Amino acid sequence: YLGVRQIRQLTMVTPIIEDFQRLSRQCAFPWRDFWQHCIGTAILTREVMSIVQPATDESDYVAGLVHDVGKIAMAWSFPDHFAEIHRQAESGARELVEVEQEILGMDHGELGALYLEQYHLPELMIKSARFHHQPERADDHQMIIASVQIADLLMRNAQIGCSGNYVEVTRETCLKASGWRVLFPNEHDAEAAIARASLHRSLERLPHVLEGLV
């Protein structure tokens, strides 16, 4: 399903994926569902970007894949904090980043960016981790990061996999995401409507695809 070029791109992050597998044993968490969220976000990121502009490489896919790496780094580095954060987050009453900031003093976006910087990975991946909730804050690669934000929210709205953030994401939340304004500055852009319809079809087939991958 991924294709040769995407597999080639994934070799760049193989050390990180190996870390994912090792680190995720540190804490009890629905890691399989988390992987489904990450891979589904990666696939949808590519779908969003392909509507806006032709792909030149597979970096958008990998940016979507590693956007939540900070949660794994947190589970390894601060297991007690991680456990408490997700105990509180499970109620769905508060946004995950709010709980993280309160308990740890840092959210998973910033922690993930610091982790990726240690591996000297491309700036796009670092900024995707840091700004995937607020793509408009990125000073570069805004379109790809906006695509990651939208893909992330769509996955949560469809309840495919588990991101660890249990706050309900409504369809209205998805439509109001700041990433749409980055991708389609014209508020009445017909392409945005076409994109949403296309992404809805992609979401319908994703659960079957992910069952075969994860």
Side-chain angles (χ1 to χ4, degrees):
Y1 181 88
L2 299 180
V4 173
R5 288 195 305 164
Q6 284 175 325
I7 295 298
R8 188 181 300 123
Q9 183 75 13
L10 283 172
T11 63
M12 186 194 328
V13 292
T14 294
I16 293 176
I17 293 173
E18 290 172 348
D19 266 6
F20 283 2
Q21 302 286 15
R22 177 173 60 86
L23 299 180
S24 63
R25 300 189 188 102
Q26 180 80 1
C27 293
F29 186 72
W31 292 112
R32 182 175 183 271
D33 292 339
F34 176 78
W35 268 112
Q36 288 194 339
H37 170 78
C38 293
I39 295 174
T41 299
I43 292 170
L44 279 182
T45 298
R46 160 48 54 90
E47 297 264 356
V48 176
M49 275 299 297
S50 66
I51 295 167
V52 180
Q53 63 184 35
T56 56
D57 58 30
E58 308 307 316
S59 57
D60 51 359
Y61 176 88
V62 181
L65 182 68
V66 302
H67 76 287
D68 268 347
V69 65
K71 295 173 184 175
I72 298 170
M74 190 182 297
W76 172 257
S77 302
F78 310 102
D80 293 338
H81 293 77
F82 180 86
E84 178 60 19
I85 286 166
H86 288 281
R87 185 190 70 80
Q88 293 192 25
E90 278 186 322
S91 68
R94 299 167 65 198
E95 287 288 347
L96 179 63
V97 293
E98 180 185 338
V99 180
E100 290 170 341
Q101 287 282 2
E102 181 179 293
I103 293 176
L104 189 61
M106 178 184 294
D107 64 42
H108 66 273
E110 183 62 25
L111 187 60
L114 294 173
Y115 174 75
L116 295 174
E117 284 175 341
Q118 287 189 339
Y119 273 95
H120 307 290
L121 285 186
E123 183 182 72
L124 165 62
M125 298 181 195
I126 295 168
K127 291 188 175 180
S128 177
R130 181 170 279 136
F131 298 119
H132 65 274
H133 291 300
Q134 297 176 300
E136 68 280 5
R137 292 182 55 207
D139 58 4
D140 203 359
H141 308 293
Q142 276 197 357
M143 293 185 73
I144 292 180
I145 299 170
S147 299
V148 173
Q149 181 206 41
I150 291 167
D152 177 33
L153 289 172
L154 288 171
M155 288 290 293
R156 289 174 56 198
N157 172 246
Q159 298 183 347
I160 301 173
C162 175
S163 72
N165 190 344
Y166 298 93
V167 172
E168 181 185 5
V169 173
T170 64
R171 179 168 175 78
E172 183 180 5
T173 301
C174 293
L175 293 176
K176 289 184 175 180
S178 59
W180 288 111
R181 294 191 295 276
V182 173
L183 296 173
F184 303 100
N186 182 351
E187 186 178 351
H188 302 291
D189 200 326
E191 285 185 277
I194 295 170
R196 293 180 185 116
S198 174
L199 292 169
H200 179 72
R201 291 192 293 272
S202 297
L203 277 168
E204 288 179 339
R205 67 174 185 267
L206 254 185
H208 175 71
V209 171
L210 292 172
E211 280 299 319
L213 287 173
V214 186

